[in-house]
Amino acid sequence: MHKEHNLTKNQQIIFDLIDKSPEPMKAYSILFNVQKKGIKAPLQVYRALDKLVQIGKIHKIESRNAFIACHNSSCQVAKATAFSICEICEKVTEISSAGLSKYLANFKDKDGMKYSKYNLEFFGLCKKCR
Amino acid sequence: MHKEHNLTKNQQIIFDLIDKSPEPMKAYSILFNVQKKGIKAPLQVYRALDKLVQIGKIHKIESRNAFIACHNSSCQVAKATAFSICEICEKVTEISSAGLSKYLANFKDKDGMKYSKYNLEFFGLCKKCR
DNA sequence: AAGTTAATGTTATAATATAACACTATGTAA
DNA sequence: TTACATAGTGTTATATTATAACATTAACTT
């Protein structure tokens, strides 16, 4: 569940674009798409992306350097993320599994260390590509 | 458990360097360190890294664009990796937990999809930094 | 010895991301 | 309502990470 943040103009433009995209978007592809709206420089994009990630409106898919909108109301603001990634078509889906998130949130390593955050990426073939 | 691969000269040089490093190494830092051994170009480094990742001798820490040697004899050749990362000192440790790897290897999503591979990164503060 | 596959060396360039600085907008508190 | 702090903007330049393309060499296979 997202605390409401009032997005600024740039943040809103970039969030809307990512939110409408059926697939993760890369920073320079975002840049290309918003140039007609007056966002001209990479830094403007990266700044908006940083903020959107911070507040949990989008997530970064680390293995792909790409960004998707968060559609998981149970995800704890960028603190606990899990994705499935198809290695053929590159489709990415956010996983929301109560069991998984509970298991990982409570995971302790050998030293009893608990973690404040995690990111999990599963790879395989999606239905279509199998 | 690693199948034995005969590393080539470049692969061996680069593996040795990473293996001796107490922390993950970045590609261009590797390049800098092996230039005296005759490896002059980024591509030579990236090619060796690709191969080493493929055969499971090293892993890439995706959130850091850095590489560490695999010290986990139970890790299934780059198919199932988990790390803890300290957000202050950036210390990275490979996690080997039979419970965790069993849980993740058997994880199925809502559609019953099983995955052939995963990568998990936990973030928090290490003992020293707490 | 010929064919195949993997690795190398090299130059160039693509793709991803941040530094630094001057300026503007917004919210908060006296 | 002014002044202060904080966050966001616009801009130029540059750093960092990664791959394309091509000619060559090494190693393995039959």
Coordinates of all heavy atoms in Angstrom, one line a residue, chain C residues 1-19:
Chain C
dA1 P 50.1 -33.3 -41.8 OP1 50.9 -32.9 -42.9 OP2 50.1 -32.6 -40.5 O5' 48.6 -33.4 -42.3 C5' 48.3 -33.7 -43.6 C4' 46.8 -33.3 -43.7 O4' 46.1 -33.8 -42.5 C3' 46.5 -31.8 -43.8 O3' 45.4 -31.7 -44.6 C2' 46.2 -31.5 -42.3 C1' 45.5 -32.7 -41.9 N9 45.6 -33.0 -40.4 C8 46.6 -32.8 -39.6 N7 46.4 -33.1 -38.3 C5 45.1 -33.6 -38.4 C6 44.3 -34.2 -37.4 N6 44.7 -34.3 -36.1 N1 43.0 -34.6 -37.7 C2 42.7 -34.4 -39.0 N3 43.4 -33.9 -40.0 C4 44.6 -33.5 -39.6
dA2 P 45.0 -30.3 -45.3 OP1 45.2 -30.3 -46.7 OP2 45.6 -29.3 -44.4 O5' 43.4 -30.3 -45.0 C5' 42.7 -31.6 -45.1 C4' 41.4 -31.4 -44.4 O4' 41.6 -31.7 -43.0 C3' 40.8 -30.0 -44.5 O3' 39.5 -30.1 -44.7 C2' 41.2 -29.4 -43.1 C1' 41.2 -30.6 -42.2 N9 42.0 -30.5 -41.0 C8 43.3 -29.9 -40.9 N7 43.8 -30.0 -39.7 C5 42.8 -30.7 -39.0 C6 42.8 -31.1 -37.6 N6 43.8 -30.9 -36.7 N1 41.7 -31.7 -37.2 C2 40.7 -31.9 -38.1 N3 40.6 -31.6 -39.4 C4 41.7 -31.0 -39.8
dG3 P 38.5 -28.9 -44.9 OP1 37.6 -29.1 -46.0 OP2 39.3 -27.7 -44.8 O5' 37.6 -28.9 -43.6 C5' 37.0 -30.2 -43.2 C4' 36.4 -30.0 -41.8 O4' 37.5 -30.0 -40.9 C3' 35.6 -28.7 -41.6 O3' 34.4 -29.1 -40.9 C2' 36.5 -27.9 -40.7 C1' 37.3 -28.9 -39.9 N9 38.6 -28.5 -39.4 C8 39.6 -27.9 -40.1 N7 40.7 -27.7 -39.4 C5 40.4 -28.2 -38.2 C6 41.1 -28.2 -36.9 O6 42.3 -27.8 -36.7 N1 40.4 -28.8 -35.9 C2 39.1 -29.3 -36.0 N2 38.6 -29.9 -34.9 N3 38.4 -29.3 -37.1 C4 39.1 -28.7 -38.2
dT4 P 33.2 -28.0 -40.8 OP1 31.9 -28.7 -41.2 OP2 33.6 -26.8 -41.6 O5' 33.2 -27.7 -39.3 C5' 33.2 -28.8 -38.3 C4' 33.5 -28.3 -37.0 O4' 34.9 -28.1 -36.9 C3' 32.8 -27.0 -36.6 O3' 31.9 -27.3 -35.5 C2' 33.9 -26.1 -36.2 C1' 35.1 -27.0 -35.9 N1 36.4 -26.5 -36.1 C2 37.4 -26.6 -35.1 O2 37.1 -27.1 -34.0 N3 38.6 -26.1 -35.3 C4 39.0 -25.5 -36.5 O4 40.2 -25.1 -36.6 C5 38.0 -25.4 -37.6 C7 38.4 -24.8 -38.9 C6 36.8 -25.9 -37.3
dT5 P 30.9 -26.3 -34.9 OP1 29.7 -27.0 -34.6 OP2 30.8 -25.1 -35.8 O5' 31.6 -25.8 -33.6 C5' 32.1 -26.8 -32.7 C4' 33.0 -26.0 -31.6 O4' 34.3 -25.7 -32.2 C3' 32.4 -24.7 -31.1 O3' 32.3 -24.8 -29.7 C2' 33.3 -23.6 -31.7 C1' 34.6 -24.4 -31.8 N1 35.6 -23.9 -32.8 C2 36.9 -23.8 -32.5 O2 37.4 -24.1 -31.4 N3 37.8 -23.3 -33.5 C4 37.4 -22.9 -34.7 O4 38.2 -22.4 -35.5 C5 36.0 -23.0 -35.0 C7 35.4 -22.5 -36.3 C6 35.1 -23.5 -34.1
dA6 P 31.8 -23.5 -28.9 OP1 31.0 -24.1 -27.8 OP2 31.2 -22.5 -29.8 O5' 33.1 -23.0 -28.3 C5' 34.0 -23.9 -27.6 C4' 35.3 -23.1 -27.2 O4' 36.0 -22.7 -28.4 C3' 34.9 -21.8 -26.5 O3' 35.8 -21.7 -25.4 C2' 35.2 -20.7 -27.6 C1' 36.3 -21.4 -28.4 N9 36.4 -20.9 -29.8 C8 35.4 -20.8 -30.7 N7 35.8 -20.4 -31.9 C5 37.2 -20.2 -31.7 C6 38.2 -19.8 -32.6 N6 38.0 -19.5 -33.9 N1 39.5 -19.8 -32.1 C2 39.7 -20.2 -30.9 N3 38.8 -20.6 -29.9 C4 37.6 -20.6 -30.4
dA7 P 35.8 -20.5 -24.4 OP1 36.0 -21.0 -23.0 OP2 34.6 -19.7 -24.7 O5' 37.0 -19.6 -24.8 C5' 38.3 -20.2 -24.7 C4' 39.3 -19.3 -25.3 O4' 39.0 -19.1 -26.7 C3' 39.3 -17.9 -24.8 O3' 40.5 -17.6 -24.2 C2' 38.9 -17.0 -25.9 C1' 39.4 -17.8 -27.1 N9 38.7 -17.5 -28.4 C8 37.3 -17.6 -28.6 N7 37.0 -17.3 -29.9 C5 38.2 -17.0 -30.4 C6 38.5 -16.5 -31.7 N6 37.6 -16.3 -32.7 N1 39.8 -16.3 -32.0 C2 40.7 -16.4 -31.0 N3 40.5 -16.8 -29.8 C4 39.2 -17.1 -29.5
dT8 P 40.9 -16.1 -23.7 OP1 41.9 -16.3 -22.7 OP2 39.7 -15.4 -23.4 O5' 41.6 -15.4 -24.9 C5' 42.7 -16.0 -25.6 C4' 43.2 -15.1 -26.6 O4' 42.3 -15.0 -27.7 C3' 43.4 -13.7 -26.2 O3' 44.8 -13.4 -26.3 C2' 42.6 -12.8 -27.1 C1' 42.3 -13.7 -28.2 N1 41.0 -13.6 -28.9 C2 41.0 -13.1 -30.2 O2 42.0 -12.8 -30.8 N3 39.7 -13.0 -30.8 C4 38.5 -13.3 -30.2 O4 37.5 -13.2 -30.8 C5 38.6 -13.8 -28.8 C7 37.4 -14.2 -28.1 C6 39.8 -13.9 -28.3
dG9 P 45.4 -12.1 -25.6 OP1 46.9 -12.4 -25.3 OP2 44.5 -11.7 -24.5 O5' 45.4 -11.0 -26.8 C5' 45.9 -11.3 -28.1 C4' 45.7 -10.1 -29.0 O4' 44.4 -10.2 -29.6 C3' 45.8 -8.8 -28.3 O3' 46.6 -8.0 -29.1 C2' 44.3 -8.3 -28.3 C1' 43.7 -9.0 -29.5 N9 42.3 -9.3 -29.5 C8 41.6 -9.8 -28.5 N7 40.4 -10.1 -28.7 C5 40.2 -9.6 -30.0 C6 39.1 -9.6 -30.9 O6 37.9 -10.0 -30.6 N1 39.4 -9.0 -32.1 C2 40.6 -8.6 -32.5 N2 40.7 -8.1 -33.8 N3 41.7 -8.6 -31.8 C4 41.4 -9.1 -30.5
dT10 P 47.0 -6.5 -28.7 OP1 48.3 -6.2 -29.3 OP2 46.8 -6.3 -27.2 O5' 45.9 -5.6 -29.4 C5' 45.8 -5.8 -30.9 C4' 44.6 -4.9 -31.4 O4' 43.4 -5.6 -31.3 C3' 44.4 -3.6 -30.6 O3' 44.9 -2.6 -31.5 C2' 42.9 -3.5 -30.4 C1' 42.4 -4.7 -31.2 N1 41.2 -5.3 -30.6 C2 40.0 -5.5 -31.3 O2 39.9 -5.1 -32.4 N3 39.0 -6.1 -30.6 C4 39.0 -6.5 -29.3 O4 38.0 -7.1 -28.8 C5 40.3 -6.3 -28.6 C7 40.4 -6.8 -27.2 C6 41.3 -5.7 -29.2
dT11 P 44.8 -1.0 -31.0 OP1 46.0 -0.4 -31.6 OP2 44.6 -1.0 -29.5 O5' 43.5 -0.5 -31.7 C5' 43.3 -0.8 -33.1 C4' 41.9 -0.3 -33.4 O4' 40.9 -1.2 -33.0 C3' 41.5 1.1 -32.8 O3' 41.0 1.9 -33.9 C2' 40.5 0.8 -31.8 C1' 39.8 -0.5 -32.3 N1 39.2 -1.3 -31.3 C2 38.0 -1.9 -31.5 O2 37.4 -1.8 -32.6 N3 37.5 -2.7 -30.5 C4 38.1 -2.9 -29.3 O4 37.6 -3.6 -28.5 C5 39.4 -2.3 -29.1 C7 40.1 -2.4 -27.8 C6 39.9 -1.5 -30.1
dA12 P 40.5 3.4 -33.5 OP1 40.8 4.2 -34.7 OP2 41.0 3.9 -32.2 O5' 38.9 3.3 -33.4 C5' 38.3 2.5 -34.4 C4' 36.8 2.3 -34.0 O4' 36.8 1.4 -32.8 C3' 36.1 3.6 -33.5 O3' 35.0 3.8 -34.3 C2' 35.8 3.3 -32.0 C1' 35.8 1.8 -32.0 N9 36.1 1.3 -30.6 C8 37.2 1.5 -29.8 N7 37.2 0.9 -28.7 C5 36.0 0.2 -28.7 C6 35.4 -0.7 -27.8 N6 36.0 -1.0 -26.6 N1 34.3 -1.3 -28.1 C2 33.7 -1.0 -29.3 N3 34.2 -0.2 -30.3 C4 35.4 0.4 -29.9
dT13 P 34.0 5.1 -34.1 OP1 33.4 5.3 -35.4 OP2 34.8 6.2 -33.4 O5' 32.9 4.5 -33.1 C5' 32.4 3.3 -33.3 C4' 31.4 2.9 -32.2 O4' 32.1 2.3 -31.1 C3' 30.6 4.0 -31.7 O3' 29.3 3.6 -31.7 C2' 31.1 4.3 -30.3 C1' 31.5 2.9 -29.9 N1 32.4 2.7 -28.8 C2 32.1 1.7 -27.8 O2 31.1 1.0 -27.9 N3 33.0 1.6 -26.8 C4 34.2 2.4 -26.6 O4 34.9 2.2 -25.7 C5 34.4 3.4 -27.7 C7 35.6 4.2 -27.6 C6 33.5 3.5 -28.7
dA14 P 28.0 4.5 -31.6 OP1 27.5 4.5 -33.0 OP2 28.2 5.7 -30.9 O5' 27.0 3.5 -30.7 C5' 27.1 2.1 -30.9 C4' 26.6 1.5 -29.6 O4' 27.6 1.5 -28.6 C3' 25.4 2.2 -29.0 O3' 24.5 1.2 -28.7 C2' 26.0 2.9 -27.8 C1' 27.1 2.0 -27.4 N9 28.2 2.7 -26.7 C8 29.1 3.7 -27.2 N7 30.0 4.0 -26.4 C5 29.8 3.2 -25.3 C6 30.5 3.0 -24.1 N6 31.6 3.7 -23.7 N1 30.1 2.1 -23.2 C2 29.0 1.3 -23.5 N3 28.3 1.4 -24.7 C4 28.8 2.3 -25.5
dA15 P 23.0 1.6 -28.1 OP1 22.2 0.4 -28.5 OP2 22.7 3.0 -28.4 O5' 23.3 1.5 -26.5 C5' 23.7 0.2 -26.0 C4' 23.8 0.4 -24.5 O4' 24.9 1.2 -24.1 C3' 22.6 1.1 -23.9 O3' 22.2 0.3 -22.8 C2' 23.1 2.5 -23.4 C1' 24.6 2.1 -23.1 N9 25.5 3.2 -23.3 C8 25.7 4.1 -24.4 N7 26.7 4.9 -24.3 C5 27.3 4.5 -23.1 C6 28.4 5.0 -22.4 N6 29.2 6.0 -22.8 N1 28.7 4.4 -21.2 C2 28.0 3.4 -20.8 N3 26.9 2.9 -21.3 C4 26.6 3.5 -22.5
dT16 P 21.0 0.7 -21.7 OP1 20.4 -0.6 -21.3 OP2 20.2 1.8 -22.3 O5' 21.9 1.3 -20.5 C5' 22.6 0.4 -19.7 C4' 23.3 1.2 -18.6 O4' 24.1 2.2 -19.2 C3' 22.3 2.0 -17.8 O3' 22.5 1.5 -16.4 C2' 22.7 3.4 -17.9 C1' 24.1 3.3 -18.4 N1 24.7 4.4 -19.2 C2 25.8 5.1 -18.8 O2 26.4 4.8 -17.7 N3 26.3 6.1 -19.5 C4 25.7 6.5 -20.7 O4 26.2 7.5 -21.4 C5 24.5 5.8 -21.1 C7 23.8 6.2 -22.4 C6 24.0 4.8 -20.4
dA17 P 21.7 2.2 -15.2 OP1 21.7 1.3 -14.1 OP2 20.4 2.8 -15.7 O5' 22.6 3.5 -14.8 C5' 23.9 3.2 -14.4 C4' 24.6 4.5 -14.0 O4' 24.8 5.3 -15.2 C3' 23.7 5.4 -13.1 O3' 24.4 5.4 -11.8 C2' 23.7 6.8 -13.8 C1' 24.8 6.7 -14.8 N9 24.7 7.5 -16.0 C8 23.7 7.4 -17.0 N7 23.8 8.2 -18.0 C5 25.0 8.9 -17.7 C6 25.7 9.9 -18.3 N6 25.3 10.4 -19.5 N1 26.8 10.4 -17.8 C2 27.2 9.8 -16.6 N3 26.6 8.9 -15.9 C4 25.5 8.4 -16.5
dT18 P 23.9 6.3 -10.6 OP1 24.3 5.6 -9.4 OP2 22.5 6.8 -10.9 O5' 24.9 7.6 -10.7 C5' 26.3 7.4 -10.7 C4' 27.0 8.7 -10.9 O4' 26.7 9.3 -12.2 C3' 26.6 9.8 -9.8 O3' 27.9 10.2 -9.2 C2' 26.0 10.9 -10.7 C1' 26.7 10.7 -12.0 N1 25.9 11.2 -13.2 C2 26.5 12.1 -14.0 O2 27.7 12.5 -13.8 N3 25.8 12.5 -15.1 C4 24.5 12.0 -15.4 O4 24.0 12.5 -16.4 C5 23.9 11.1 -14.5 C7 22.6 10.6 -14.8 C6 24.7 10.7 -13.5
dA19 P 27.9 11.2 -8.1 OP1 28.8 10.7 -7.0 OP2 26.5 11.7 -7.8 O5' 28.7 12.5 -8.7 C5' 29.8 12.2 -9.6 C4' 30.5 13.5 -9.9 O4' 29.9 14.1 -11.1 C3' 30.3 14.6 -8.8 O3' 31.5 15.4 -8.8 C2' 29.1 15.4 -9.3 C1' 29.2 15.3 -10.8 N9 28.0 15.3 -11.5 C8 26.9 14.5 -11.3 N7 25.9 14.7 -12.2 C5 26.4 15.7 -13.0 C6 25.8 16.3 -14.2 N6 24.6 16.1 -14.6 N1 26.6 17.3 -14.8 C2 27.8 17.5 -14.3 N3 28.4 17.0 -13.3 C4 27.7 16.1 -12.7

